[in-house]
Amino acid sequence: CSSRFELLLMVITDSISYFCTILGTMRLGLTPFPLSIRNSPVAIAHLIKNTHVIQVLVSPDPAMQRLMAETREILRKESMIEVEVLEMIQFEDVRDKDGADYEDVAVARGEELEFPKIELDSTALVLHSSGELKNKHHVKELWLGVLVD
């Protein structure tokens, strides 16, 4: 496990929100772990245990909320693991409603964003393999690979 923690993403959302969440998470120095919504609660619990996930972004739809509730129950019973569940940001929450440019707003407020330095040999994001539960495993992609490929 890297010094940074993985942030699991279990979401049904639009492409813009999904991409921005993954990219924003990476840029903030966190390691996103986008997960297929077709996984079972047992498979998700297995991946959470093996990747040391501590936070999960879940879309607000009932199916994903139910899937996460079942996953958390498995984790509590089998491993005594608790993960924090956060609701996925929706496009309507972040889209520009009044035509203002974010940079103009931030400059007007005197705000400046600071980002952590990227270490090229650190994990940028985590992916997972498909297949049987016994064969499911996570694959860590380094920043060097993300930036060069």
Side-chain angles (χ1 to χ4, degrees), residues 73-119:
E73 189 61 31
I74 292 167
L75 288 168
R76 282 186 202 112
K77 285 182 179 176
E78 295 180 4
S79 307
M80 307 269 284
I81 294 174
E82 187 64 46
V83 293
E84 181 180 12
V85 177
L86 307 167
E87 189 171 305
M88 172 69 181
I89 296 169
Q90 302 298 298
F91 181 69
E92 295 79 31
D93 299 332
V94 295
R95 72 178 174 88
D96 182 14
K97 296 175 182 80
D98 62 3
D101 183 358
Y102 174 76
E103 288 183 20
D104 293 339
V105 173
V107 169
R109 291 182 185 162
E111 297 173 0
E112 188 172 322
L113 296 175
E114 291 189 32
F115 298 105
K117 183 178 182 219
I118 295 173
E119 300 292 335

Side-chain angles (χ1 to χ4, degrees), residues 1 7 20 26 52 58 75 77 94 101 103 113 125 129:
C1 174
L7 174 67
C20 289
M26 291 168 64
H52 309 285
V58 182
L75 288 168
K77 285 182 179 176
V94 295
D101 183 358
E103 288 183 20
L113 296 175
L125 77 150
S129 67

Side-chain angles (χ1 to χ4, degrees), residues 133-146:
L133 175 60
K134 65 181 179 177
N135 295 327
K136 280 197 181 297
H137 62 278
H138 60 283
V139 179
K140 294 187 176 194
E141 183 69 35
L142 300 181
W143 271 102
L144 185 61
V146 170

